[in-house]
Every structure is written in structure tokens, then in C-alpha cells.
Amino acid sequence: QVQLVESGGGSVQAGGSMGLSCSLSGTTYRGKRCVGWFRQAPGKEREGVAFIYTGDDTTTYADSVKGRFTISQDYAKMTVFLQLDNLKPEDTAMYYCTATGNWATTSCPIELLPTYAYRGQGTQVTVSV
């Protein structure tokens, strides 16, 4: 059973930065997979934010965060990071780490988010004006 544990999050003013991390346990990276983040604000639908394929670092970003968020991984530590820069109030949401099982391709399309098998408990990101 894959477990995901997020850390980071908190409150920041608009224009600020923040880092999130997601540690995987109960698995190995030998089973290549997609790992990433989605967010959900109250009253809004879930939104895929950024994803990385653990096999070769291929990344995918939502248009709303391109150029501001960066996803990366420490393969040896089975940890995925999300750097959030130039934050906006509309980035305020609960951020969840999510992961697939073994993944057959090297891309992680955002539209396939509903197929991801695992998710963490979430961490709150609040951006004030």
C-alpha cells in the first residue's frame, strides 16, 4: 500500500513563495509512476496542478501555474517537491499529493488525474492580498 505524506504549506502574502513536499512509502520507485499535486478550494472542483514521471523527470503543469510552480523529485529519497512562486490569492486551496500505480508511459496528462490510485491527507495553502 502506497502512502503519501505531505509537508509544507501555510500562509503567505501575494507574490510570496512556499515549498511543499510529498514523501512516498510502502513502495519503491522502481515501479515508475506519476506523482503530483492537485488542489481543491471550497466550493470549487478539484484541479490538477503539476505532475512528474518518476522514471525520467518529465513534468506536466496546469496553465494556471506554468512559470510560477516547479515540481521536482529526489529519486533516492522517494520525495516529490512543489515550489510555489509568485503566489496569488486564487492559489489558496488544500493541496493534495497524489500518485499512480505503475505507469506505462512517460507522460502524466492532467486529464488522467481521476485514475490516480493514491493521495495524501492534504496541506493548506493560503495566500492573502
Side-chain angles (χ1 to χ4, degrees), residues 50-100:
F51 300 88
I52 188 166
Y53 176 64
T54 62
D56 66 3
D57 289 346
T58 298
T59 58
T60 306
Y61 295 94
D63 289 342
S64 59
V65 305
K66 279 181 182 176
R68 300 189 299 119
F69 292 8
T70 304
I71 190 169
S72 61
Q73 67 166 337
D74 183 325
Y75 188 90
K77 295 183 178 179
M78 294 197 297
T79 300
V80 172
F81 306 96
L82 185 67
Q83 178 65 32
L84 298 74
D85 295 318
N86 191 21
L87 282 159
K88 304 176 181 180
E90 52 263 42
D91 294 319
T92 295
M94 185 72 79
Y95 283 69
Y96 297 89
C97 183
T98 184
T100 66

Side-chain angles (χ1 to χ4, degrees), residues 7-10 18-22 37 80-84 95 123-125:
S7 61
M18 184 181 295
L20 307 180
S21 63
C22 174
W37 299 83
V80 172
F81 306 96
L82 185 67
Q83 178 65 32
L84 298 74
Y95 283 69
T123 185
Q124 178 68 35
V125 172

